[in-house]
Short mmCIF file of all heavy atoms in Angstrom, two decimals:
data_model
loop_
_atom_site.label_atom_id
_atom_site.label_comp_id
_atom_site.label_asym_id
_atom_site.label_seq_id
_atom_site.Cartn_x
_atom_site.Cartn_y
_atom_site.Cartn_z
N LYS A 100 9.38 29.43 11.79
CA LYS A 100 10.81 29.51 12.34
C LYS A 100 11.19 30.99 12.41
O LYS A 100 11.74 31.47 13.39
CB LYS A 100 11.87 28.82 11.57
CG LYS A 100 11.68 27.34 11.64
CD LYS A 100 12.78 26.57 10.80
CE LYS A 100 12.58 25.14 10.94
NZ LYS A 100 13.46 24.39 10.03
N SER A 101 10.83 31.74 11.36
CA SER A 101 10.96 33.21 11.35
C SER A 101 10.02 33.88 10.57
O SER A 101 9.42 33.32 9.47
CB SER A 101 12.36 33.40 10.80
OG SER A 101 12.56 34.85 10.46
N THR A 102 9.60 35.11 10.89
CA THR A 102 8.63 35.85 10.04
C THR A 102 9.29 36.97 9.10
O THR A 102 8.79 37.77 8.60
CB THR A 102 7.60 36.53 10.93
OG1 THR A 102 8.14 37.36 11.91
CG2 THR A 102 6.72 35.51 11.65
N LYS A 103 10.65 36.79 9.13
CA LYS A 103 11.55 37.70 8.41
C LYS A 103 11.13 37.75 7.00
O LYS A 103 11.02 36.73 6.30
CB LYS A 103 12.93 37.32 8.48
CG LYS A 103 13.93 38.41 7.93
CD LYS A 103 15.36 38.14 8.29
CE LYS A 103 16.23 39.18 7.61
NZ LYS A 103 17.65 38.75 7.96
N GLY A 104 10.76 38.94 6.44
CA GLY A 104 10.40 39.08 5.09
C GLY A 104 8.94 38.72 4.73
O GLY A 104 8.51 38.88 3.60
N MET A 105 8.23 38.49 5.75
CA MET A 105 6.78 38.25 5.62
C MET A 105 5.93 39.34 6.03
O MET A 105 6.24 40.04 7.07
CB MET A 105 6.26 36.90 6.41
CG MET A 105 7.02 35.63 6.07
SD MET A 105 6.54 34.40 7.08
CE MET A 105 4.84 33.95 6.43
N ASP A 106 4.94 39.76 5.41
CA ASP A 106 4.05 40.89 5.80
C ASP A 106 2.95 40.17 6.50
O ASP A 106 2.70 38.97 6.66
CB ASP A 106 3.51 41.72 4.67
CG ASP A 106 2.84 41.04 3.64
OD1 ASP A 106 2.41 39.88 3.92
OD2 ASP A 106 2.52 41.65 2.65
N ASN A 107 1.96 41.02 7.13
CA ASN A 107 0.86 40.49 7.88
C ASN A 107 -0.01 39.49 7.05
O ASN A 107 -0.55 38.61 7.62
CB ASN A 107 0.00 41.57 8.42
CG ASN A 107 0.75 42.42 9.47
OD1 ASN A 107 1.67 41.98 10.09
ND2 ASN A 107 0.24 43.67 9.72
N TYR A 108 -0.26 39.81 5.73
CA TYR A 108 -1.02 38.99 4.98
C TYR A 108 -0.37 37.49 4.81
O TYR A 108 -1.15 36.60 4.85
CB TYR A 108 -1.22 39.64 3.54
CG TYR A 108 -2.06 38.77 2.63
CD1 TYR A 108 -3.47 38.72 2.83
CD2 TYR A 108 -1.52 38.01 1.69
CE1 TYR A 108 -4.26 37.92 1.87
CE2 TYR A 108 -2.22 37.18 0.81
CZ TYR A 108 -3.51 37.18 1.01
OH TYR A 108 -4.29 36.38 0.26
N ASP A 109 0.94 37.49 4.54
CA ASP A 109 1.60 36.26 4.45
C ASP A 109 1.48 35.44 5.69
O ASP A 109 1.22 34.20 5.64
CB ASP A 109 3.08 36.51 4.17
CG ASP A 109 3.29 37.17 2.83
OD1 ASP A 109 2.47 36.93 1.82
OD2 ASP A 109 4.32 37.76 2.59
N ILE A 110 1.66 36.01 6.81
CA ILE A 110 1.59 35.34 8.14
C ILE A 110 0.14 34.78 8.33
O ILE A 110 -0.05 33.69 8.75
CB ILE A 110 2.09 36.29 9.33
CG1 ILE A 110 3.50 36.73 9.19
CG2 ILE A 110 1.69 35.56 10.64
CD1 ILE A 110 3.97 37.81 9.95
N LEU A 111 -0.81 35.71 8.19
CA LEU A 111 -2.28 35.33 8.29
C LEU A 111 -2.57 34.06 7.35
O LEU A 111 -3.20 33.14 7.76
CB LEU A 111 -3.14 36.44 7.96
CG LEU A 111 -4.72 36.20 8.07
CD1 LEU A 111 -5.09 35.69 9.59
CD2 LEU A 111 -5.53 37.34 7.65
N SER A 112 -2.15 34.11 6.12
CA SER A 112 -2.36 33.11 5.11
C SER A 112 -1.86 31.78 5.66
O SER A 112 -2.38 30.71 5.58
CB SER A 112 -1.76 33.46 3.78
OG SER A 112 -2.39 34.56 3.28
N PHE A 113 -0.52 31.88 6.16
CA PHE A 113 0.03 30.65 6.83
C PHE A 113 -0.63 30.06 7.87
O PHE A 113 -0.84 28.76 8.06
CB PHE A 113 1.52 31.04 7.18
CG PHE A 113 2.31 29.75 7.46
CD1 PHE A 113 2.94 29.11 6.44
CD2 PHE A 113 2.41 29.25 8.75
CE1 PHE A 113 3.80 27.99 6.77
CE2 PHE A 113 3.19 28.20 9.06
CZ PHE A 113 3.83 27.57 8.01
N GLN A 114 -1.17 30.92 8.78
CA GLN A 114 -1.85 30.53 9.98
C GLN A 114 -3.22 29.82 9.62
O GLN A 114 -3.45 28.75 10.03
CB GLN A 114 -2.16 31.66 10.90
CG GLN A 114 -1.03 32.23 11.55
CD GLN A 114 -1.26 33.63 12.25
OE1 GLN A 114 -1.80 34.52 11.67
NE2 GLN A 114 -0.83 33.82 13.54
N ILE A 115 -3.91 30.48 8.57
CA ILE A 115 -5.14 29.75 8.21
C ILE A 115 -4.91 28.48 7.44
O ILE A 115 -5.54 27.58 7.54
CB ILE A 115 -5.96 30.73 7.18
CG1 ILE A 115 -6.42 32.01 8.14
CG2 ILE A 115 -7.16 30.16 6.55
CD1 ILE A 115 -7.30 31.80 9.22
N GLU A 116 -3.86 28.34 6.76
CA GLU A 116 -3.44 27.16 6.00
C GLU A 116 -3.16 26.12 6.94
O GLU A 116 -3.43 24.95 6.83
CB GLU A 116 -2.26 27.35 5.05
CG GLU A 116 -1.92 26.13 4.25
CD GLU A 116 -2.90 25.45 3.47
OE1 GLU A 116 -3.87 26.15 2.99
OE2 GLU A 116 -2.79 24.13 3.27
N LYS A 117 -2.41 26.45 8.03
CA LYS A 117 -2.13 25.57 9.18
C LYS A 117 -3.41 25.08 9.73
O LYS A 117 -3.51 23.74 10.01
CB LYS A 117 -1.18 26.19 10.17
CG LYS A 117 -0.83 25.23 11.32
CD LYS A 117 0.00 24.08 10.91
CE LYS A 117 1.43 24.41 10.58
NZ LYS A 117 2.33 23.26 10.33
N ALA A 118 -4.32 25.87 10.06
CA ALA A 118 -5.70 25.48 10.65
C ALA A 118 -6.38 24.57 9.65
O ALA A 118 -6.98 23.58 10.05
CB ALA A 118 -6.46 26.75 10.96
N ARG A 119 -6.41 24.91 8.37
CA ARG A 119 -7.08 24.09 7.46
C ARG A 119 -6.43 22.61 7.38
O ARG A 119 -7.20 21.54 7.34
CB ARG A 119 -7.05 24.65 5.99
CG ARG A 119 -7.83 23.83 4.97
CD ARG A 119 -7.39 24.24 3.56
NE ARG A 119 -6.09 23.85 3.20
CZ ARG A 119 -5.67 22.54 2.91
NH1 ARG A 119 -6.45 21.56 3.17
NH2 ARG A 119 -4.32 22.30 2.71
N GLN A 120 -5.13 22.56 7.46
CA GLN A 120 -4.48 21.23 7.49
C GLN A 120 -4.88 20.43 8.60
O GLN A 120 -5.04 19.31 8.62
CB GLN A 120 -2.88 21.39 7.47
CG GLN A 120 -2.45 21.89 6.22
CD GLN A 120 -0.89 22.27 6.22
OE1 GLN A 120 -0.32 22.31 7.31
NE2 GLN A 120 -0.28 22.68 5.18
N LYS A 121 -4.95 21.11 9.84
CA LYS A 121 -5.29 20.42 11.17
C LYS A 121 -6.75 19.93 11.02
O LYS A 121 -7.06 18.85 11.58
CB LYS A 121 -5.05 21.29 12.32
CG LYS A 121 -3.69 21.66 12.52
CD LYS A 121 -2.75 20.44 12.75
CE LYS A 121 -1.29 20.86 13.04
NZ LYS A 121 -0.45 19.67 13.18
N ILE A 122 -7.64 20.60 10.49
CA ILE A 122 -8.96 20.29 10.32
C ILE A 122 -9.22 19.10 9.44
O ILE A 122 -9.79 17.98 9.72
CB ILE A 122 -9.96 21.45 9.85
CG1 ILE A 122 -10.00 22.61 10.82
CG2 ILE A 122 -11.39 20.84 9.53
CD1 ILE A 122 -10.62 23.85 10.34
N GLU A 123 -8.46 19.12 8.31
CA GLU A 123 -8.40 17.93 7.40
C GLU A 123 -7.91 16.73 8.02
O GLU A 123 -8.35 15.57 7.85
CB GLU A 123 -7.58 18.34 6.09
CG GLU A 123 -8.18 19.37 5.37
CD GLU A 123 -9.39 18.94 4.45
OE1 GLU A 123 -9.59 17.87 4.33
OE2 GLU A 123 -10.10 19.92 4.01
N TYR A 124 -6.79 16.94 8.86
CA TYR A 124 -6.22 15.75 9.58
C TYR A 124 -7.14 15.11 10.48
O TYR A 124 -7.27 13.82 10.64
CB TYR A 124 -4.94 16.24 10.35
CG TYR A 124 -4.24 15.12 11.14
CD1 TYR A 124 -3.40 14.22 10.55
CD2 TYR A 124 -4.55 15.13 12.50
CE1 TYR A 124 -2.79 13.24 11.26
CE2 TYR A 124 -3.96 14.09 13.26
CZ TYR A 124 -2.98 13.19 12.55
OH TYR A 124 -2.48 12.20 13.36
N CYS A 125 -7.89 16.01 11.39
CA CYS A 125 -8.87 15.53 12.28
C CYS A 125 -9.97 14.79 11.54
O CYS A 125 -10.54 13.77 12.07
CB CYS A 125 -9.47 16.57 13.16
SG CYS A 125 -8.20 17.29 14.37
N LEU A 126 -10.44 15.31 10.49
CA LEU A 126 -11.50 14.54 9.74
C LEU A 126 -11.06 13.22 9.25
O LEU A 126 -11.69 12.20 9.35
CB LEU A 126 -11.96 15.44 8.53
CG LEU A 126 -12.80 16.57 8.73
CD1 LEU A 126 -12.99 17.53 7.64
CD2 LEU A 126 -14.20 16.08 9.28
N SER A 127 -9.80 13.14 8.72
CA SER A 127 -9.32 11.92 8.35
C SER A 127 -8.97 10.83 9.48
O SER A 127 -8.98 9.70 9.22
CB SER A 127 -8.05 12.03 7.42
OG SER A 127 -6.94 12.57 8.21
N LYS A 128 -8.50 11.36 10.66
CA LYS A 128 -8.21 10.51 11.71
C LYS A 128 -9.21 10.32 12.71
O LYS A 128 -9.04 9.70 13.82
CB LYS A 128 -6.94 10.95 12.31
CG LYS A 128 -5.62 11.12 11.55
CD LYS A 128 -5.30 9.69 10.93
CE LYS A 128 -3.97 9.85 10.25
NZ LYS A 128 -3.55 8.55 9.66
N LYS A 129 -10.48 10.84 12.43
CA LYS A 129 -11.72 10.75 13.22
C LYS A 129 -11.45 11.34 14.79
O LYS A 129 -11.88 10.75 15.74
CB LYS A 129 -12.04 9.27 13.48
CG LYS A 129 -12.44 8.58 12.17
CD LYS A 129 -13.67 8.67 11.76
CE LYS A 129 -14.07 7.84 10.63
NZ LYS A 129 -14.35 8.54 9.42
N ILE A 130 -10.82 12.44 14.75
CA ILE A 130 -10.47 13.19 16.03
C ILE A 130 -11.67 14.24 16.07
O ILE A 130 -11.83 14.91 15.15
CB ILE A 130 -9.12 13.89 16.08
CG1 ILE A 130 -7.97 12.89 16.04
CG2 ILE A 130 -9.01 14.70 17.30
CD1 ILE A 130 -6.60 13.35 15.73
N SER A 131 -12.36 14.15 17.19
CA SER A 131 -13.54 14.83 17.27
C SER A 131 -13.43 16.35 17.75
O SER A 131 -14.41 17.23 17.60
CB SER A 131 -14.64 14.21 18.10
OG SER A 131 -14.19 13.97 19.49
N LYS A 132 -12.30 16.62 18.40
CA LYS A 132 -12.28 17.98 19.02
C LYS A 132 -10.77 18.59 18.77
O LYS A 132 -9.82 17.97 18.80
CB LYS A 132 -12.39 17.98 20.54
CG LYS A 132 -13.91 17.80 20.87
CD LYS A 132 -14.24 18.59 22.05
CE LYS A 132 -15.70 18.34 22.32
NZ LYS A 132 -16.15 18.50 23.64
N ILE A 133 -10.80 19.89 18.34
CA ILE A 133 -9.63 20.63 18.21
C ILE A 133 -9.81 22.01 18.94
O ILE A 133 -10.95 22.56 19.00
CB ILE A 133 -9.41 21.04 16.69
CG1 ILE A 133 -9.71 19.86 15.74
CG2 ILE A 133 -8.05 21.64 16.45
CD1 ILE A 133 -9.70 20.26 14.29
N VAL A 134 -8.65 22.40 19.52
CA VAL A 134 -8.70 23.75 20.23
C VAL A 134 -7.74 24.64 19.47
O VAL A 134 -6.54 24.19 19.47
CB VAL A 134 -8.35 23.69 21.60
CG1 VAL A 134 -8.36 25.12 22.23
CG2 VAL A 134 -9.38 22.92 22.38
N PHE A 135 -8.21 25.74 18.81
CA PHE A 135 -7.29 26.60 18.13
C PHE A 135 -6.98 27.69 18.97
O PHE A 135 -7.88 28.37 19.38
CB PHE A 135 -7.79 27.17 16.85
CG PHE A 135 -7.86 26.01 15.76
CD1 PHE A 135 -9.15 25.55 15.33
CD2 PHE A 135 -6.73 25.60 15.13
CE1 PHE A 135 -9.24 24.61 14.29
CE2 PHE A 135 -6.86 24.80 13.96
CZ PHE A 135 -8.08 24.16 13.75
N ILE A 136 -5.75 27.99 19.29
CA ILE A 136 -5.35 29.09 20.20
C ILE A 136 -4.87 30.22 19.20
O ILE A 136 -3.81 30.11 18.65
CB ILE A 136 -4.06 28.67 21.15
CG1 ILE A 136 -4.67 27.40 22.04
CG2 ILE A 136 -3.74 29.82 21.98
CD1 ILE A 136 -3.52 26.82 22.70
N HIS A 137 -5.65 31.33 19.30
CA HIS A 137 -5.38 32.39 18.35
C HIS A 137 -5.00 33.70 19.04
O HIS A 137 -4.45 34.58 18.36
CB HIS A 137 -6.58 32.62 17.45
CG HIS A 137 -7.80 32.53 18.00
ND1 HIS A 137 -8.26 33.63 18.85
CD2 HIS A 137 -8.89 31.70 18.08
CE1 HIS A 137 -9.51 33.31 19.36
NE2 HIS A 137 -9.91 32.10 18.81
N GLY A 138 -5.31 33.74 20.36
CA GLY A 138 -5.00 35.03 20.96
C GLY A 138 -6.05 36.06 20.72
O GLY A 138 -7.04 35.81 20.02
N VAL A 139 -6.01 37.12 21.54
CA VAL A 139 -7.03 38.17 21.43
C VAL A 139 -6.79 39.10 20.26
O VAL A 139 -7.50 39.14 19.32
CB VAL A 139 -7.28 38.86 22.81
CG1 VAL A 139 -8.35 39.80 22.74
CG2 VAL A 139 -7.59 37.91 23.88
N GLY A 140 -5.82 39.83 20.48
CA GLY A 140 -5.29 40.82 19.37
C GLY A 140 -6.36 41.72 18.84
O GLY A 140 -7.36 42.04 19.39
N GLU A 141 -6.34 41.97 17.53
CA GLU A 141 -7.33 42.78 16.73
C GLU A 141 -8.55 41.91 16.38
O GLU A 141 -9.46 42.36 15.89
CB GLU A 141 -6.82 43.32 15.57
CG GLU A 141 -5.65 44.30 15.73
CD GLU A 141 -6.06 45.60 16.28
OE1 GLU A 141 -7.24 45.97 16.20
OE2 GLU A 141 -5.21 46.27 16.91
N GLY A 142 -8.45 40.57 16.37
CA GLY A 142 -9.52 39.67 16.06
C GLY A 142 -9.64 39.29 14.59
O GLY A 142 -10.44 38.64 14.13
#
Side-chain angles (χ1 to χ4, degrees):
K100 290 181 181 176
S101 171
T102 58
K103 187 175 182 179
M105 297 177 78
D106 61 13
N107 290 344
Y108 178 78
D109 295 333
I110 295 168
L111 179 64
S112 297
F113 189 87
Q114 291 168 312
I115 293 302
E116 179 58 23
K117 179 64 77 175
R119 187 195 64 73
Q120 290 171 359
K121 295 300 182 182
I122 294 168
E123 296 286 342
Y124 178 81
C125 288
L126 283 167
S127 69
K128 299 295 182 184
K129 306 272 191 245
I130 297 172
S131 62
K132 287 217 176 153
I133 315 169
V134 176
F135 289 107
I136 302 167
H137 47 71
V139 180
E141 297 287 339

